[in-house]
Amino acid sequence: MENTPGQRHLVMGNEAISRGILEAGVQVAAAYPGTPSSEIIEVLSQVAARRHMYTEWSVNEKVALEVAAAASFAGLRAVAVMKQVGMNVAADFLLHVALRGIRGGLVLISCEDPGGLSSTNEGESRPYAKMMEFPLLEPGDFQEAKDMTRWAFDLSERLGSIVMVRSVTRLSHASGNVTFGQLPEDRPTADFNFNGAMLDPDTGPMINLPGPVTIIHRRQQEKMARAAALFETSPFNRYDGPERPELLVITASACQLYCREAIEILGLEQRVGLLKLGTTWPLPIQLLQRHLALCRRILVVEEVLPFLEENLQAFAARAAARIGIKQFFGKNDGALPSTGELNPDLVMAALSRILDIAPMGRDDAYRRRAEAIFAKGAPPRELTFCPGCPHRASFWGIHNALAMDNRRGFVSGDIGCYSLAALPCGFESLKTLHAMGSGLGMASGFGKLSPFGFDQPVIAVCGDSTFYHAVMPALVNAIHNDANVTLVVLDNSGTAMTGFQAHPGLAVNALGETVPTVEIPDLCRAMGAKVRVCDPFDLPVTQNTLLEMLDDPQGVNVLVLRQICALSPEKKGKKRYDMAVDPQICRADDCGCNRFCTRIFRCPGLGYDPQKGTARIDEVICAGCGVCADICPSGAIERKQRS
Amino acid sequence: MRIYGPQTLFEDVQQRGLCIGCGGCVALCPHFKTYKGKTARLFPCDRETGRCHAYCPKAEVDLDELARQSGQPSYPASPAGGYQRIVASRSGRRLAGQTCQSGGTVTALMTLALASGRIESAVLTGTKGLVPHPVRVTHPDGVAACASSKYTAAPTLSGLNAAIEAGRRHIGVVATPCQATAIAQMRANPLQQDDFQDPAGLVIGLFCTWALDTRHLIAFLDQRMDTRRIRKMTIPPPPAEVLIIRTDTGDSEIPLDQIRPLIPGGCRICPDMTAEWADLSVGELEGRPAWNTLIVRSETGRALVDEAARDGWLETESYPSGQLDHLLGAARGKKRRALQQARADGLLNSAPDTCRAALRLDAKTVDALIGDGEECACRY
Ligand SMILES: Cc1cc2nc3c(=O)[nH]c(=O)nc-3n(C[C@H](O)[C@H](O)[C@H](O)COP(=O)(O)OP(=O)(O)OC[C@H]3O[C@@H](n4cnc5c(N)ncnc54)[C@H](O)[C@@H]3O)c2cc1C
Ligand code: SF4
Ligand code: SF4
Ligand code: SF4
Ligand code: SF4
């Protein structure tokens, strides 16, 4: 990220976006971590000191956007970064900031996850741009990721509106060549001017009040009209293809790469035109009218839902008198799927069907090789917790306490690595799993159902980072409404799933500075919960504490299970114990354990030796946490403290 | 005896609400645990046969086979099983000063069994609050600490299993009839183990008409009193029809009608009132609260009673003549009700090839036990 203008670099999409942010002279960047967005703030944090920039991991996406907006109101350029789910968290503030406008360039970057590769959903946030009326940009390659990000700030300031840049996993996490531009040197000072007239966008207070809503709203719509006009000539909207194509493909984002590849493989350059849009909301009307007039049939290629498709259809209907009746292909007619990621194969299949060309068979030699490799199969890898993961121990305690309690109790789950506890690695403990913070929110609701005959105990779980993000309001709710629930905070001292970003429980921030901590047990106690803290590796204490909490017929109990993540920099590669299975004692298939350790506990560090007929420790994989020694009913697993 | 695995036990007994929480399947493996008087399955296990199922007194209990194992030709169509004699008894001078449930016969006999070295330890039932739990006692003086009845179904046998797993043998147990049935099945070496050795040195059975579900009883009493103050519970003979709860601050009486809903499902198909598979069975004696009914069944039992009477541990008297009819009538009544219930629920002698049963015994014996006789006034 050093200042090397004019040079080409091989960078990841998220690095290209970061470079665009730097080239735009952004001074404040705030985010809540979430795959595939997290690298952006990480990269910025590394150069923040040199670039005289402030970066932070905010407590959640709404606060991140508020922090960025504050900088904008003070005249600085600012960015808020999140993944698609976070957009929903930020949405309330987003509606208001979109309406009221901004001062310094304010850009919201949403990195989305079609196919839900590392998300519990493949939710879309493009409709927010239409619904809340702000411009939406979708870069189609790595160079554009940088260039459009940088331009987004100019656009934002020109319009006085927040601008959204949308990336997807295949852009954010893939790498490509990017030519860097200049990094600016001037640094405006921050000042929030509020002495002007009430509704003055540049000097008045930044206030949304019921009275003048329609005045401000009309202004917002004027900004959108200006944006549409600017987009007419944007270099990010490009047409490639013949003057009179048989089919016009309209696309945006990484899908443009799939379209180009499909057209090239099928040799359709002379038959198919490709209109690649970078500015997908508001639509550039003249530009579209010109291109839609080129032919009768239109294929729209996008991920995931038919956002562009339906907007284009609506426009085509309005413009029918001028451009004629069009036949649209895309999601609505089933030419392309409305779920999951697209790829060149899917686009080729759609093109073949529409143009009635024989679907291209695979090259025979390639097919045979692929089949041979496929037949061998990749070794099966189950989704599981890492060796030495505190969550395995925590869920051992939680599962066993609920099972012993024997009233059909269950866990109301939340978002984090520990969401895997819905699977065998977490003993299938989670029975509800939705949004961040929903675990306790739902438990709070279940905890009020006893007048209707509900007698199942409920344990809500959340991670430490999730606790600050969205669980605190649910905790207040549960306490205030006297719901009878137990909350287990799985405190592994960091935002482990997304790469150990700092959170308010740690004495360090995104910039590496020492900062005050906000202690979860203290917070919970202050709110009025009954709080205990245990080490989840201490299985009996954890289980008994939970049993006591489940037995408490009233109020909210909080158990903080504190143990650092096995992959954390402090722990990684350092074994606390040397582990071994005593083959003399191990009963393996004998009545009693029935290979308890590998069949039920399932730490990847444990295996079964079919020759000896006993369990064994895989020294390479075992993290030396020592927990399995406590689960073996025969005491066959030995642990020796390392010096 | 048909023996299945833990999954069958879970489906047939626990999921059907027949589990009495005796602890027979607990402490054999990591899968079954006892908590608050109930047995829970932590994880499924796919073994096709297991001791857990073999021992369970609510799954495939073959009464004729148990009778043959104890030297009888088949299960008798008699109300109180096979026995040598029935006497009235109470603890003797050697046990002076101990507070027991009724006559203190059980405590006296177990204390002697330990003191004389007949058994190496005794598995008894104590309580934490109102939750019963097994207590293993190795010194004779420790027996009296567990005296008095806990009217809740208790996981006593988990303590027995734990002691056996730890390599102990010659263990004495005080057991309710269901627990004694489980022990009888254990003693049969059901899995045909080569190195099998009968772990139980002495089984003293208690009479039982029903027990109560621990959790339900606690919830019930919590609404009515400070349960920390409870010292003792008794159910006096009819016509009282009450449970008397003795607390620090006085007695309170609860009509039995109110607590009968707290009886677990497993008791409703239990045919045994007098602990027929024990060496000795002890219950109350109508009209004489400080005495017991004592049934001597096995040679082991007889020898212990003889020594106890000789050495001042036990006083015995011949059984009051009118009482025997009452006793046998009550036992017959329980047997009839249980067999009728089991049959109605499809749990008695189910088709051996297609269905599993809770209880099996010769069909003619069933007819004889259910068939005749009017319903007898039952104690509880
Ligand atoms: C659940 C239950 C129901 C009973 N129902 C009847 C009945 O219907 N008719 C009748 O005549 N007698 C019944 N009894 C037996 C009676 O209450 C006395 O236990 C018996 O008379 C022996 O008296 P004792 O003075 O010799 O006992 P104690 O000397 O006081 O000794 C009692 C012994 O019982 C054991 N014990 C206590 N509670 C339990 C339990 N829940 N499970 C297993 N062991 C236990 C203790 O370990 C102790 O060793 C019942 C007992 C129980 C536990
Ligand atoms: S190590 Fe322990 S739990 Fe694992 S197979 Fe051996 S005896 Fe069973
Ligand atoms: S010590 Fe046991 S539980 Fe811990 S990582 Fe090694 S094998 Fe897994
Ligand atoms: S009745 Fe006893 S042996 Fe049967 S399942 Fe219940 S606790 Fe286990
Ligand atoms: S009635 Fe039968 S099953 Fe119930 S506690 Fe008594 S002996 Fe056990």
Side-chain angles (χ1 to χ4, degrees):
Chain A
M1 291 297 129
E2 296 305 314
N3 197 355
T4 49
Q7 284 189 14
R8 287 211 318 160
H9 295 269
L10 178 68
V11 293
M12 202 189 195
N14 277 347
E15 291 172 321
I17 292 172
S18 305
R19 176 72 189 195
I21 291 170
L22 291 174
E23 288 181 10
V26 168
Q27 279 164 286
V28 171
Y32 183 80
T35 313
S37 74
S38 311
E39 296 83 5
I40 296 172
I41 291 289
E42 277 164 3
V43 168
L44 295 176
S45 295
Q46 282 164 22
V47 297
R50 281 199 299 279
R51 300 303 312 158
H52 191 53
M53 203 181 173
Y54 172 71
T55 61
E56 81 167 33
W57 289 120
S58 304
V59 75
N60 65 32
E61 293 84 352
K62 176 167 174 279
V63 176
L65 185 56
E66 287 156 351
V67 165
S72 159
F73 293 179
L76 307 183
R77 286 189 164 186
V79 66
V81 184
M82 55 201 66
K83 70 183 287 183
Q84 81 276 8
V85 273
M87 286 290 293
N88 305 307
V89 178
D92 191 0
F93 180 72
L94 180 57
L95 173 68
H96 291 93
V97 81
L99 177 66
R100 188 63 181 85
I102 54 93
R103 292 197 181 153
L106 178 64
V107 173
L108 191 170
I109 293 176
S110 170
C111 299
E112 314 203 349
D113 192 10
L117 304 176
S118 46
S119 310
T120 51
N121 60 74
E122 53 175 349
E124 278 248 18
S125 52
R126 291 182 300 168
Y128 278 116
K130 185 176 178 186
M131 186 167 73
M132 297 181 178
E133 299 169 278
F134 53 83
L136 167 66
L137 309 181
E138 294 189 70
D141 61 29
F142 304 95
Q143 186 68 44
E144 280 194 355
K146 177 191 83 70
D147 293 344
M148 285 173 85
T149 302
R150 180 189 169 151
W151 180 62
F153 291 90
D154 295 340
L155 179 68
S156 168
E157 283 172 1
R158 236 171 123 173
L159 299 173
S161 167
I162 187 168
V163 171
M164 171 176 165
V165 175
R166 182 216 192 209
S167 176
V168 291
T169 307
R170 300 295 171 188
L171 187 61
S172 281
H173 278 178
S175 297
N177 284 330
V178 176
T179 305
F180 284 4
Q182 283 292 346
L183 293 182
E185 289 312 325
D186 57 321
R187 288 280 173 259
T189 46
D191 181 65
F192 177 36
N193 191 352
F194 47 75
N195 291 329
M198 185 69 153
L199 296 184
D200 187 303
D202 301 319
T203 59
M206 297 296 263
I207 281 172
N208 289 287
L209 277 178
V213 165
T214 48
I215 301 171
I216 308 177
H217 193 185
R218 207 172 309 122
R219 259 192 220 162
Q220 185 187 10
Q221 289 176 348
E222 284 160 15
K223 291 176 194 173
M224 289 299 275
R226 287 212 304 282
L230 282 170
F231 292 170
E232 296 290 353
T233 54
S234 164
F236 301 119
N237 303 326
R238 272 198 315 277
Y239 175 76
D240 294 297
E243 268 174 36
R244 290 266 144 228
E246 291 169 47
L247 174 75
L248 175 66
V249 177
I250 304 183
T251 186
S253 180
C255 293
Q256 66 111 2
L257 299 170
Y258 311 150
C259 295
R260 284 188 203 285
E261 196 174 329
I263 292 171
E264 192 192 309
I265 292 174
L266 293 174
L268 295 174
E269 290 89 342
Q270 296 314 311
R271 296 176 65 189
V272 173
L274 179 68
L275 177 63
K276 173 258 167 207
L277 293 179
T279 66
T280 42
W281 191 258
L283 291 173
I285 302 299
Q286 305 299 330
L287 177 115
L288 284 176
Q289 192 164 307
R290 273 199 315 280
H291 288 92
L292 286 174
L294 294 179
C295 64
R296 192 179 58 81
R297 294 187 296 176
I298 320 288
L299 168 65
V300 186
V301 181
E302 65 190 313
E303 288 164 340
V304 177
L305 296 174
F307 173 75
L308 191 55
E309 182 179 328
E310 286 172 0
N311 291 333
L312 287 169
Q313 282 169 341
F315 168 71
R318 286 199 304 275
R322 274 160 285 142
I323 61 173
I325 306 282
K326 302 293 162 191
Q327 184 181 9
F328 275 91
F329 300 95
K331 314 274 184 182
N332 283 326
D333 67 316
L336 289 165
S338 301
T339 57
E341 293 185 292
L342 297 184
N343 56 43
D345 284 346
L346 286 169
V347 181
M348 281 199 291
L351 287 172
S352 305
R353 227 170 303 130
I354 297 164
L355 296 174
D356 200 17
I357 45 184
M360 233 195 49
R362 285 225 181 277
D363 170 54
D364 235 24
Y366 175 87
R367 185 179 48 77
R368 272 199 305 277
R369 254 179 57 212
E371 275 171 8
I373 292 169
F374 187 75
K376 275 193 219 141
R381 277 224 314 167
E382 79 172 44
L383 270 173
T384 186
F385 293 131
C386 305
C389 174
H391 294 327
R392 181 177 289 100
S394 297
F395 281 99
W396 185 261
I398 291 170
H399 169 276
N400 289 4
L402 283 170
M404 280 179 60
D405 179 83
N406 214 350
R407 289 178 291 166
R408 297 176 51 248
F410 60 94
V411 178
S412 191
D414 222 301
I415 305 296
C417 298
Y418 50 91
S419 302
L420 288 182
L423 305 176
C425 66
F427 319 109
E428 297 174 9
S429 308
L430 297 199
K431 300 301 176 197
T432 71
L433 178 60
H434 295 81
M436 288 186 76
S438 300
L440 185 59
M442 299 215 54
S444 170
F446 281 120
K448 293 305 294 179
L449 296 182
S450 59
F452 312 108
F454 186 83
D455 57 2
Q456 296 160 267
V458 186
I459 293 182
V461 294
C462 73
D464 36 354
S465 186
T466 307
F467 178 85
Y468 301 107
H469 178 284
V471 173
M472 286 170 57
L475 182 56
V476 174
N477 191 73
I479 292 169
H480 173 64
N481 290 305
D482 202 15
N484 183 212
V485 292
T486 302
L487 169 67
V488 176
V489 182
L490 303 160
D491 181 354
N492 58 6
S493 304
T495 316
M497 183 160 83
T498 50
F500 299 102
Q501 291 81 8
H503 65 55
L506 305 175
V508 64
N509 66 7
L511 298 167
E513 299 161 343
T514 304
V515 285
T517 60
V518 182
E519 294 291 332
I520 294 175
D522 294 348
L523 265 178
C524 297
R525 263 184 218 112
M527 287 183 192
K530 294 162 259 186
V531 182
R532 314 258 292 266
V533 182
C534 305
D535 177 356
F537 285 176
D538 191 337
L539 301 175
V541 169
T542 301
Q543 185 174 313
N544 289 337
T545 310
L546 278 169
L547 281 169
E548 280 168 30
M549 290 184 163
L550 289 172
D551 234 21
D552 186 347
Q554 263 225 307
V556 177
N557 278 281
V558 176
L559 175 62
V560 180
L561 290 177
R562 193 168 275 170
Q563 179 63 247
I564 300 178
C565 170
L567 296 182
S568 70
E570 295 97 303
K571 250 194 192 176
K572 205 173 173 184
K574 293 172 206 142
K575 290 191 183 188
R576 194 163 157 210
Y577 296 103
D578 282 319
M579 306 299 296
V581 175
D582 185 333
Q584 247 52 57
I585 303 176
C586 172
R587 304 170 82 166
D589 286 332
D590 242 19
C591 183
C593 88
N594 199 14
R595 294 195 211 173
F596 194 55
C597 53
T598 48
R599 191 174 60 89
I600 304 285
F601 188 65
R602 299 167 91 100
C603 173
L606 289 156
Y608 178 70
D609 185 337
Q611 257 100 54
K612 284 196 207 139
T614 64
R616 66 181 172 80
I617 302 278
D618 187 327
E619 276 177 41
V620 179
I621 297 173
C622 166
C625 71
V627 172
C628 55
D630 287 328
I631 64 102
C632 171
S634 313
I637 307 179
E638 298 160 352
R639 65 177 159 222
K640 240 189 273 141
Q641 185 107 31
R642 285 196 155 194
S643 45
Chain B
M1 205 190 298
R2 290 176 175 78
I3 299 167
Y4 297 93
Q7 181 60 27
T8 308
L9 181 70
F10 181 65
E11 287 167 16
D12 290 3
V13 180
Q14 300 188 347
Q15 287 197 314
R16 273 194 193 154
L18 295 178
C19 171
I20 189 65
C22 70
C25 59
V26 176
L28 299 168
C29 73
H31 302 297
F32 292 105
K33 300 271 182 213
T34 171
Y35 179 66
K36 294 214 157 178
K38 274 249 178 267
T39 297
R41 183 182 74 160
L42 299 200
F43 297 101
C45 166
D46 53 9
R47 302 193 71 86
E48 283 179 8
T49 56
R51 292 175 293 171
C52 48
H53 187 276
Y55 299 169
C56 178
K58 301 294 167 192
E60 286 288 353
V61 176
D62 189 328
L63 292 175
D64 290 314
E65 205 171 310
L66 289 183
R68 280 194 287 279
Q69 179 195 314
S70 67
Q72 306 170 59
S74 63
Y75 186 68
S78 62
Y83 58 88
Q84 299 188 4
R85 62 193 167 108
I86 301 185
V87 294
S89 67
R90 67 173 178 188
S91 57
R93 59 183 160 77
R94 300 280 294 265
L95 200 77
Q98 302 293 356
T99 317
C100 295
Q101 185 65 25
S102 25
T105 300
V106 172
T107 299
L109 290 172
M110 256 317 164
T111 306
L112 169 61
L114 264 178
S116 63
R118 280 183 166 80
I119 53 174
E120 69 90 45
S121 59
V123 174
L124 308 173
T125 305
T127 45
K128 284 190 187 119
L130 288 179
V131 179
H133 67 100
V135 178
R136 187 166 150 264
V137 173
T138 49
H139 194 277
D141 292 348
V143 176
C146 287
S148 83
S149 301
K150 292 86 197 171
Y151 284 103
T152 43
T156 313
L157 299 186
S158 66
L160 176 62
N161 282 337
I164 297 170
E165 289 289 295
R168 307 284 169 195
R169 294 293 180 271
H170 311 294
I171 306 162
V173 192
V174 178
T176 52
C178 55
Q179 293 168 346
T181 305
I183 298 172
Q185 298 189 102
M186 274 180 206
R187 288 175 133 175
N189 186 16
L191 293 191
Q192 312 290 311
Q193 286 161 330
D194 295 339
D195 53 354
F196 180 80
Q197 203 191 335
D198 180 2
L202 172 72
V203 180
I204 301 184
L206 303 175
F207 290 8
C208 180
T209 310
W210 41 250
L212 300 171
D213 178 281
T214 304
R215 221 175 192 142
H216 291 164
L217 179 66
I218 293 173
F220 178 91
L221 294 177
D222 267 342
Q223 291 176 350
R224 290 165 175 81
M225 61 186 71
D226 180 355
T227 50
R228 285 167 307 182
R229 297 186 170 276
I230 296 175
R231 293 291 161 258
K232 191 177 175 181
M233 297 189 202
T234 41
I235 303 180
E241 268 280 304
V242 286
L243 168 70
I244 299 176
I245 301 188
R246 196 145 293 162
T247 71
D248 296 344
T249 48
D251 290 359
S252 53
E253 293 187 0
I254 297 173
L256 291 188
D257 267 354
Q258 287 185 23
I259 64 163
R260 280 206 181 88
L262 314 180
I263 300 172
C267 292
R268 297 182 199 282
I269 57 156
C270 171
D272 186 353
M273 192 192 89
T274 58
E276 296 169 21
W277 309 111
D279 295 303
L280 296 165
S281 305
V282 186
E284 298 189 8
L285 185 57
E286 248 180 77
R288 295 173 77 181
W291 281 74
N292 289 112
T293 299
L294 170 63
I295 305 182
V296 180
R297 298 188 189 272
S298 71
E299 269 311 298
T300 311
R302 187 196 55 75
L304 180 67
V305 170
D306 287 353
E307 184 181 335
R310 191 189 67 212
D311 293 351
W313 289 97
L314 200 69
E315 280 178 42
T316 59
E317 281 182 7
S318 59
Y319 205 62
S321 55
Q323 296 292 350
L324 191 60
D325 284 349
H326 283 186
L327 174 70
L328 297 180
R332 189 181 297 115
K334 181 176 179 188
K335 208 160 269 188
R336 181 186 304 124
R337 287 193 304 276
L339 292 175
Q340 278 167 342
Q341 183 73 50
R343 189 151 69 181
D345 294 348
L347 298 169
L348 178 66
N349 288 340
S350 324
D353 300 330
T354 48
C355 299
R356 296 182 294 262
L359 269 177
R360 292 191 188 277
L361 71 159
D362 188 84
K364 286 201 251 354
T365 319
V366 175
D367 289 343
L369 288 169
I370 294 182
D372 62 280
E374 72 228 42
E375 187 68 41
C376 173
C378 162
R379 252 211 62 180
Y380 296 137

